[in-house]
Amino acid sequence: MQVGIVGLGSIGGSLGYDLRERQCRVIGVSRKQATCNRAVELGIADKASCNFDGLKSAELVILCTPIGKLEAIARQVIPHLNPDAVLTDVGSVKGPIVDAIEPLWKNFVGGHPMAGTHQSGVEAAQQSLFVDRPYVITPTAKTQPGAIAKLDQLITLIQARRYECGPAIHDQAVARISHGPVIISAALVSTAIAQHNPEEAAVVKLAKQLASSGFRDTSRVGGGNPELGLMMAQYNKDAMVQCLQQYRRELDGAIAAIESDNWDALNQWLIKTQTARPDFVD
Ligand code: NAP
């Protein structure tokens, strides 16, 4: 298969590695010439350049640029596509992306490979990043079966686990387990450094010295690249707000139980969460 990858960063680069490994021919496009050169050097793409001309021969073109650029890049890419080419994207939010790109190209289907690193750029690309990781495809009633079949081929090649759902359900689910937790974890860090009076300076100082694995685990996603959290909030606004409102209700319930010494209620709540967690992660 001939595959075009636009945006040779951590996700685009990782896809390139695995597709070339599986005998696909990869045509890379990126913004910077240095990135294109590096991608060829690393073995991510067979050839790469800053213009879209080479995409004409691609059967599948994967848009791997930051979310905010996906629609604009799709508009630039489309005039260069073979009429039968399938277009997809890897954006972590699907509703607004599918709404924007679907009307532009008949053979478009949205997708989200759910693997990644917290580093960005071509050097952050990894081999076998998607093996046994979820890859969600988000077709709509308008999606062509041929486009789905082509994306399925990609998912099989990179050995990911395929899931299919509508764009809105995808966005609500990822708000609960990925986007919402970024804000919740950021609030935790913000709570740890909160200082309402000069006396609390000593508390904050000691807390920093004592913080260990529990704080490392719970604060990790909130202490990451601010651009990512901002982008998730901007592009998945409704689902994010819904998730955070539910989180506020959960916290209010826990606070009320603690304030009223209702240890039974608190215990039941903690048993519920202890029982539920393994359904999400091992
Ligand atoms: P990234 O490492 O920053 O890579 C994006 C690449 O796009 C950059 O390296 C940049 O390459 C290129 N680019 C930027 N503007 C461009 C343009 N106008 N034309 C062509 N190339 C352009 O970001 P990423 O983490 O791979 O994320 C890319 C997409 O994957 C996003 O839509 C994100 O939602 C999605 N995603 C990310 C993860 C994750 O964990 N990181 C997981 C799943 C999905 P240059 O060096 O040439 O500027």
Side-chain angles (χ1 to χ4, degrees), residues 6-12 29-33 35-36 52 63-70 73 76 90-93 112-122 124 228 231:
V6 182
L8 298 167
S10 74
I11 298 297
V29 178
S30 213
R31 183 178 45 181
K32 297 188 195 129
Q33 187 56 48
T35 301
C36 296
F52 303 105
L63 305 179
C64 302
T65 61
I67 292 183
K69 306 246 177 76
L70 286 170
I73 293 287
Q76 285 177 267
V90 296
S92 329
V93 177
H112 180 199
M114 298 196 62
T117 66
H118 284 281
Q119 284 156 337
S120 58
V122 69
L228 282 181
M231 228 179 273

Side-chain angles (χ1 to χ4, degrees), residues 21-22 25 36 41 47 66 68 82 106 110 115 119 125-126 131 141 155 162 172 183 186 200 213 247 258:
E21 181 76 25
R22 304 287 184 285
R25 181 171 159 75
C36 296
E41 212 171 85
K47 59 174 196 171
N82 180 303
K106 173 172 67 83
Q119 284 156 337
Q126 287 176 23
V131 173
I155 295 169
R162 179 193 188 277
Q172 286 169 30
I183 301 299
E200 281 187 347
S213 55
Y247 185 68
I258 295 167

